[in-house]
Short mmCIF file of all heavy atoms in Angstrom, two decimals:
data_model
loop_
_atom_site.label_atom_id
_atom_site.label_comp_id
_atom_site.label_asym_id
_atom_site.label_seq_id
_atom_site.Cartn_x
_atom_site.Cartn_y
_atom_site.Cartn_z
N GLY A 221 7.94 -58.10 -0.69
CA GLY A 221 7.88 -57.29 0.71
C GLY A 221 6.56 -56.53 0.70
O GLY A 221 5.79 -56.51 -0.30
N LYS A 222 6.21 -56.01 1.96
CA LYS A 222 4.94 -55.34 2.18
C LYS A 222 5.01 -53.84 1.83
O LYS A 222 4.22 -53.36 1.04
CB LYS A 222 4.49 -55.63 3.57
CG LYS A 222 3.93 -56.99 3.85
CD LYS A 222 3.35 -57.09 5.30
CE LYS A 222 2.66 -58.44 5.49
NZ LYS A 222 2.11 -58.47 6.91
N HIS A 223 5.98 -53.23 2.50
CA HIS A 223 5.88 -51.70 2.32
C HIS A 223 7.37 -51.29 2.00
O HIS A 223 8.09 -50.89 2.81
CB HIS A 223 5.51 -51.01 3.70
CG HIS A 223 4.27 -51.43 4.31
ND1 HIS A 223 3.03 -51.20 3.59
CD2 HIS A 223 3.96 -52.35 5.35
CE1 HIS A 223 1.99 -51.75 4.30
NE2 HIS A 223 2.43 -52.45 5.38
N VAL A 224 7.63 -51.60 0.77
CA VAL A 224 9.10 -51.44 0.29
C VAL A 224 9.25 -50.44 -0.80
O VAL A 224 8.57 -50.38 -1.73
CB VAL A 224 9.47 -52.80 -0.30
CG1 VAL A 224 11.02 -52.77 -0.66
CG2 VAL A 224 9.25 -53.92 0.76
N ALA A 225 10.33 -49.54 -0.57
CA ALA A 225 10.79 -48.69 -1.64
C ALA A 225 12.17 -49.18 -2.00
O ALA A 225 12.92 -49.79 -1.20
CB ALA A 225 10.85 -47.24 -1.03
N ARG A 226 12.55 -48.96 -3.23
CA ARG A 226 13.86 -49.49 -3.72
C ARG A 226 14.68 -48.33 -4.24
O ARG A 226 14.16 -47.46 -5.03
CB ARG A 226 13.53 -50.46 -4.82
CG ARG A 226 14.80 -50.95 -5.52
CD ARG A 226 14.50 -52.12 -6.55
NE ARG A 226 15.67 -52.32 -7.34
CZ ARG A 226 15.77 -53.32 -8.32
NH1 ARG A 226 14.70 -54.09 -8.57
NH2 ARG A 226 16.82 -53.43 -9.12
N VAL A 227 15.97 -48.28 -4.01
CA VAL A 227 16.92 -47.50 -4.61
C VAL A 227 18.03 -48.22 -5.23
O VAL A 227 18.62 -49.20 -4.56
CB VAL A 227 17.44 -46.44 -3.56
CG1 VAL A 227 18.63 -45.69 -4.07
CG2 VAL A 227 16.42 -45.57 -3.06
N ASP A 228 18.45 -47.83 -6.38
CA ASP A 228 19.54 -48.56 -7.16
C ASP A 228 20.80 -47.63 -7.13
O ASP A 228 20.59 -46.49 -7.61
CB ASP A 228 19.20 -48.99 -8.43
CG ASP A 228 18.16 -50.13 -8.40
OD1 ASP A 228 18.72 -51.32 -8.24
OD2 ASP A 228 16.96 -49.86 -8.41
N LEU A 229 21.97 -47.97 -6.63
CA LEU A 229 23.21 -47.19 -6.69
C LEU A 229 24.00 -47.66 -8.04
O LEU A 229 24.03 -48.73 -8.35
CB LEU A 229 24.01 -47.47 -5.47
CG LEU A 229 23.22 -47.37 -4.22
CD1 LEU A 229 24.20 -47.41 -2.89
CD2 LEU A 229 22.54 -45.98 -4.11
N VAL A 230 24.60 -46.54 -8.48
CA VAL A 230 25.37 -46.77 -9.81
C VAL A 230 26.81 -46.76 -9.55
O VAL A 230 27.33 -46.12 -8.66
CB VAL A 230 25.03 -45.77 -10.90
CG1 VAL A 230 23.49 -45.82 -11.24
CG2 VAL A 230 25.33 -44.30 -10.41
N GLU A 231 27.58 -47.61 -10.34
CA GLU A 231 28.97 -47.61 -10.14
C GLU A 231 29.41 -48.01 -8.78
O GLU A 231 30.27 -47.49 -8.08
CB GLU A 231 29.72 -46.45 -10.65
CG GLU A 231 29.45 -46.15 -12.16
CD GLU A 231 30.27 -44.96 -12.59
OE1 GLU A 231 31.01 -44.31 -11.68
OE2 GLU A 231 30.13 -44.59 -13.70
N ALA A 232 28.63 -48.99 -8.21
CA ALA A 232 28.78 -49.35 -6.81
C ALA A 232 28.89 -50.88 -6.78
O ALA A 232 28.47 -51.62 -7.52
CB ALA A 232 27.54 -48.98 -6.06
N SER A 233 29.51 -51.30 -5.64
CA SER A 233 29.65 -52.78 -5.45
C SER A 233 28.76 -53.28 -4.34
O SER A 233 27.93 -52.54 -3.70
CB SER A 233 31.11 -53.15 -5.07
OG SER A 233 31.36 -52.82 -3.75
N HIS A 234 28.93 -54.63 -3.93
CA HIS A 234 28.20 -55.16 -2.85
C HIS A 234 28.54 -54.44 -1.56
O HIS A 234 27.58 -54.35 -0.77
CB HIS A 234 28.63 -56.74 -2.72
CG HIS A 234 27.80 -57.35 -1.65
ND1 HIS A 234 26.51 -57.63 -1.78
CD2 HIS A 234 28.28 -57.96 -0.59
CE1 HIS A 234 26.17 -58.34 -0.77
NE2 HIS A 234 27.17 -58.55 0.09
N ASP A 235 29.57 -53.78 -1.42
CA ASP A 235 29.99 -52.97 -0.33
C ASP A 235 29.81 -51.54 -0.64
O ASP A 235 30.73 -50.78 -0.42
CB ASP A 235 31.37 -53.39 0.03
CG ASP A 235 31.60 -54.74 0.41
OD1 ASP A 235 31.11 -55.23 1.56
OD2 ASP A 235 32.17 -55.59 -0.42
#
Side-chain angles (χ1 to χ4, degrees):
K222 283 186 175 178
H223 306 290
V224 182
R226 174 176 169 178
V227 169
D228 290 275
L229 309 184
V230 299
E231 297 184 3
S233 76
H234 184 64
D235 300 286

